[in-house]
Structures are given as C-alpha cells and as structure tokens.
C-alpha cells in the first residue's frame, strides 16, 4: 500500500509538472523532436501523415510563431552550403541542382567549405536579420519557405539557368576549391 501511494503521488506530481511547464529540450529530443527547429505550424501537418496521436507532444516542443515573424518577408536570402556535405544533405542538393532556385531572383546560393546548410535572411539595406539552420528541411520545405518569406518582384523576369553548358553545371564545384 505504501508503494502504491508513493507511485500515485509521483504520477500526480509528474502530471501537474507536465501541465504547468513545457517539455525541456531533452524531453523533446527523446520524443524525436528538435525543439529549436520545430515550428508550431509543422504540428498541424501531422494529420496528413496519420500522426495525430503525437500532435499534443509536438505542440509542447514547438517554437511559437509570432505574428511579426510568421508572415515577415525578407528582401534577400543567401543559402549557404558546402558541396562536400551534399551526401549528408541530399534534399538540399536536390533543391540546388533543380530549377527551383531560379524561381527566386533575390536568392543567392553561396558555397562555403565545411558549412552545414543554412539560410541567411537580409533586409532591403543588406543587414543580416536572421540565420536559419536547414539541416532537417526537405526540398519542398525549402521552396515553401522561400515562397512564403522571400519578397517577390513580380515585374522582374526570373533569371534563367543555363543548362546547355556542362561547365555551368559543375560550377558549384569550382567555388569550393581552396
């Protein structure tokens, strides 16, 4: 009986602590979430994959999107990546090597040796506003992010990417030379 009461008190204490506080980074990692990279809007997509059961935990681990940053548009974005890490990030490689980047005239792709993929976002004056790690993003997420958060100049023609010259296709390799 004494052990039952102790277990009951422990269970109630744990339940109250869960209700009153958010999960820690380690709690979220144990659940399979990376708290610093998880946006709450992503939790809404769980139903598309039949994962409604974990939505509550997802919402405890996600970063709340404020009204100002959720709809914020940036003047310029720089996607920084190292080609030596393409093997570790095939989704980012697929995005870069596809025609998708050409849809965004104010997107620059910069190849920096040894760097994990990240996006740097700038305002109209060229000031760095935000840097985002995109190591866990897939190709569609990257494109959706740029469509949502990158200013689009509808009057300008989008830049065309040359595919006729084989040298242009391998240009990203030359930029990584030391």
């Amino acid at each position: 009986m004494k052990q039952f009461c102790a277990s009951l008190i422990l269970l109630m204490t744990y339940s109250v602590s869960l209700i009153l506080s958010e999960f820690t980074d380690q709690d979220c990692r144990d659940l399979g979430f990376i708290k610093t990279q998880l946006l709450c809007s992503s939790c809404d997509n769980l139903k598309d994959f039949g994962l409604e059961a974990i939505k509550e935990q997802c919402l405890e681990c996600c970063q709340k999107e404020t009204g100002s940053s959720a709809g914020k548009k940036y003047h310029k974005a720089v996607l920084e990546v190292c080609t030596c890490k393409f093997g570790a990030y095939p989704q980012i490689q697929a995005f870069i090597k596809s025609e998708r980047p050409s849809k965004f005239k104010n997107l620059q792709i910069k190849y920096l040796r040894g760097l994990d993929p990240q996006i740097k976002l700038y305002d109209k004056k060229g000031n760095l506003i935000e840097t985002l790690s995109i190591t866990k993003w897939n190709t569609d997420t990257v494109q959706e992010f740029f469509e949502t958060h990158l200013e689009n100049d509808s009057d300008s023609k989008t830049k065309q990417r040359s595919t006729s010259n084989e040298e242009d296709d391998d240009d990203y390799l030359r930029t990584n030379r030391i």
Side-chain angles (χ1 to χ4, degrees), residues 86-174:
F86 273 176
Y89 305 107
Q91 313 296 20
I92 305 305
Q93 177 186 15
F95 176 83
I96 291 171
K97 292 183 105 180
S98 72
E99 292 299 318
R100 292 178 180 196
S102 65
K103 296 177 184 176
F104 309 102
K105 74 163 197 71
N106 43 355
L107 169 64
Q108 176 187 359
I109 297 174
K110 197 176 206 180
Y111 301 96
L112 298 172
R113 191 161 185 77
L115 189 67
D116 286 334
Q118 66 182 15
I119 297 173
K120 290 189 174 181
L121 301 162
Y122 296 88
D123 63 12
K124 288 185 180 189
K125 295 178 182 177
N127 298 321
L128 178 65
I129 302 298
E130 196 168 353
T131 301
L132 303 171
S133 170
I134 59 169
T135 58
K136 303 292 182 189
W137 292 17
N138 65 32
T139 307
D140 294 330
T141 305
V142 174
Q143 181 173 351
E144 183 181 330
F145 178 83
F146 289 136
E147 288 171 348
T148 306
H149 296 286
L150 200 55
E151 289 179 358
N152 186 8
D153 187 7
S154 57
D155 297 334
S156 298
K157 294 180 181 177
T158 57
K159 63 182 178 179
Q160 297 298 316
R161 208 169 147 185
S162 171
T163 56
S164 61
N165 188 346
E166 188 176 301
E167 189 174 298
D168 287 346
D169 290 341
D170 294 335
D171 188 41
Y172 66 89
L173 294 174
R174 277 198 303 280

